[in-house]
């Protein structure tokens, strides 16, 4: 007997389709692999004038990392003796630790500040470590160009950062024994009516490729409250000063203001970057910046696949139950109609 609106054959077809859907979902989930597209360089020529403005807003900033980074140079062959054969080999590799690994400093124009970088020899032999800078010409004075460090000894490298007469965000690196200390200098005008701050909200300051950089921007009026239009100039660049994005917006500020700005970093290669903000108003510039790192998106773990599979199964079962309830309801209505007609 065929039930009006829903036949037995249709019901069995629905069960077969649901079974195939469940099986397909199971195969798909457990064969799922993370896929990442090739990155197209937005500024491959290194032209700092290029501005790329995709949809969405930019956000983020960070200052200061105190973790230690270990650098292990190649092993040094023992002195004396000729070349060739024999067992043994070179002396054990030496290593250094460098603290901090990043500077994010706020300076007024025409001022300087002195900082220290601690370098420790973790190896069993004395070593001579080279010191240099990249991209910080006229903005940094290094106390030494090399450091002689005995085994187990820690030495301080004196560094003077210089803010010239031009406000802005200046980035570069200090290189110690092959290790890079990232530097961002936020140079402000001296008479500030406003200050700015930007903070990266992403966990661990890491942004997986394809996801958004999330930031919180704070605009801080200084002195007496004043209604004033200000311009926010955002920028993303790496520590070689290569610009990947610029974006501007203007708004009226009357008191302390917090804004959230997001930016899609899917086109950025994995690595270290600076997101900068320059708050511009008549006769003043108040920049701030923060560090973030773009990382590869990790593949889904087996546990994650199991959870996703269970969620999909729950949804499929829910749909299946809903279909059965609808079918039963229609069947009951058809039986009631037949009973009414028969009476």
């Amino acid at each position: 007997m065929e039930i009006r609106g829903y036949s037995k054959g249709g019901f069995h077809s629905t069960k077969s389709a649901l079974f195939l859907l469940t099986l397909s979902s199971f195969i798909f989930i457990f064969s799922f692999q993370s896929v990442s597209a090739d990155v197209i360089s937005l500024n491959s020529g290194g032209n700092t004038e290029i501005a790329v403005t995709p949809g969405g807003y930019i956000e983020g900033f960070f200052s200061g990392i105190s973790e230690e980074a270990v650098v292990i140079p190649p092993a040094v062959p023992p002195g004396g003796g000729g070349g060739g054969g024999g067992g043994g080999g070179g002396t054990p590799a030496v290593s250094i630790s460098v603290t901090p690994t990043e500077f994010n400093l706020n300076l007024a124009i025409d001022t300087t500040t002195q900082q220290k970088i601690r370098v420790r020899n973790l190896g069993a032999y004395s070593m001579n470590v080279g010191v240099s800078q990249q991209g910080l010409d006229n903005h940094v004075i290094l106390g030494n160009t090399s450091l002689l460090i005995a085994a187990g000894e820690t030495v301080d490298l004196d560094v003077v950062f210089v803010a010239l007469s031009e406000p802005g965000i200046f980035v570069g690196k200090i290189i110690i024994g092959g290790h890079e200390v990232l530097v961002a200098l936020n140079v402000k005008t001296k008479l500030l009516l406003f200050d700015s701050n930007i903070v990266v909200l992403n966990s661990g300051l890491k942004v997986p490729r394809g996801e958004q950089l999330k930031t919180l921007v704070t605009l801080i009026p200084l002195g007496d409250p004043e209604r004033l239009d200000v311009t926010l100039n955002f920028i993303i660049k790496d520590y070689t000063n290569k610009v990947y994005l610029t974006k501007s917006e203007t708004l009226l500020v009357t008191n302390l203001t917090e804004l959230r700005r997001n930016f899609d970093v899917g086109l950025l290669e994995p690595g270290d970057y600076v997101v900068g903000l320059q708050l511009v108003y008549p006769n003043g510039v108040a920049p701030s910046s923060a560090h973030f790192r773009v990382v590869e998106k990790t593949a889904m773990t087996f546990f994650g696949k199991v959870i996703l599979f269970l969620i999909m199964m729950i949804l499929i079962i829910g749909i299946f139950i809903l279909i059965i309830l609808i079918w039963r309801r229609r069947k009951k209505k058809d039986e009631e109609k037949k009973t009414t007609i028969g009476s």
Side-chain angles (χ1 to χ4, degrees):
M1 179 185 66
E2 185 179 274
I3 300 175
R4 189 185 311 170
Y6 208 96
S7 67
K8 289 184 178 179
F11 177 65
H12 290 304
S13 298
T14 301
K15 290 195 293 182
S16 299
L18 288 173
F19 172 77
L20 291 176
L21 177 60
T22 302
L23 180 61
S24 300
S25 300
F26 182 86
I27 296 173
F28 168 76
I29 293 172
F30 282 90
S31 63
F32 176 81
Q33 296 293 332
S34 176
V35 177
S36 59
D38 290 336
V39 171
I40 299 175
S41 174
L42 302 183
N43 191 10
S44 58
N47 181 357
T48 58
E49 298 300 318
I50 290 180
V52 181
T53 309
Y57 289 112
I58 183 178
E59 292 191 9
F61 271 66
F62 171 77
S63 62
I65 298 178
S66 60
E67 63 182 317
E68 289 190 343
V70 176
V71 178
I72 303 178
V76 180
T91 57
V94 295
S95 61
I96 61 172
S97 66
V98 179
T99 309
T101 60
E102 181 197 350
F103 286 105
N104 190 302
L105 302 173
N106 298 321
L107 296 172
I109 58 173
D110 299 320
T111 62
T112 64
T113 184
Q114 181 170 323
Q115 303 289 328
K116 292 183 182 294
I117 301 176
R118 308 207 77 185
V119 184
R120 181 175 177 80
N121 182 355
L122 302 178
Y125 301 89
S126 296
M127 66 182 303
N128 195 30
V129 179
V131 179
S132 61
Q133 61 85 18
Q134 178 182 334
L136 294 170
D137 297 339
N138 303 320
H139 288 286
V140 66
I141 301 173
L142 301 174
N144 300 90
T145 57
S146 64
L147 299 171
L148 180 60
I149 314 174
E153 182 182 14
T154 299
V155 299
D156 289 338
L157 172 66
D158 291 324
V159 181
V160 177
F161 294 102
V162 180
L164 303 178
S165 57
E166 178 186 359
I169 300 169
F170 304 92
V171 299
K173 305 173 183 177
I174 297 173
I175 304 170
I176 305 172
H179 177 66
E180 297 177 347
V181 178
L182 306 178
V183 177
L185 302 179
N186 310 304
V187 180
K188 310 169 185 283
T189 50
K190 287 186 176 179
L191 299 177
L192 289 177
L193 296 180
F194 290 90
D195 204 353
S196 68
N197 187 47
I198 186 166
V199 178
V200 171
L201 300 179
N202 299 78
S203 177
L205 310 177
K206 295 178 181 179
V207 185
R209 286 174 65 180
E211 297 187 11
Q212 287 189 327
L213 169 68
K214 300 177 182 180
T215 67
L216 175 66
V217 174
T218 306
L219 310 180
I220 309 166
L222 303 176
D224 296 332
E226 183 175 355
R227 294 173 58 88
L228 197 63
D229 285 327
V230 301
T231 299
L232 307 181
N233 294 326
F234 295 99
I235 188 171
I236 287 183
K237 56 184 176 179
D238 61 23
Y239 284 89
T240 66
N241 218 36
K242 183 176 178 181
V243 175
Y244 295 88
L245 174 138
T246 61
K247 183 178 181 67
S248 297
E249 62 179 283
T250 301
L251 49 85
L252 177 66
V253 177
T254 58
N255 48 33
L256 189 145
T257 303
E258 290 187 344
L259 309 168
R260 290 179 181 266
R261 294 291 181 264
N262 297 332
F263 175 62
D264 184 359
V265 299
L267 293 176
L268 297 182
E269 292 278 4
D272 294 296
Y273 296 88
V274 169
V275 55
L277 163 65
Q278 292 194 67
L279 190 159
V280 182
Y281 55 92
N283 301 318
V285 178
S288 58
S289 65
H291 166 267
F292 70 96
R293 175 171 293 177
V294 175
V295 297
E296 292 285 4
K297 182 177 290 187
T298 56
M300 184 178 292
T301 64
F302 176 79
F303 179 75
K305 292 179 181 179
V306 171
I307 295 299
L308 180 59
F309 174 76
L310 292 176
I311 292 174
M312 291 189 65
M313 286 298 298
I314 291 172
L315 291 175
I316 291 172
I317 292 172
I319 293 173
F320 184 74
I321 293 174
L322 181 61
I323 291 174
I324 292 176
L325 292 175
I326 293 174
W327 177 77
R328 288 182 174 177
R329 184 175 181 183
R330 288 182 177 178
K331 181 180 179 181
K332 184 177 181 180
K333 286 184 177 180
D334 288 343
E335 291 175 349
E336 291 174 352
K337 287 182 180 179
K338 288 181 179 180
T339 302
T340 302
I341 294 173
S343 61

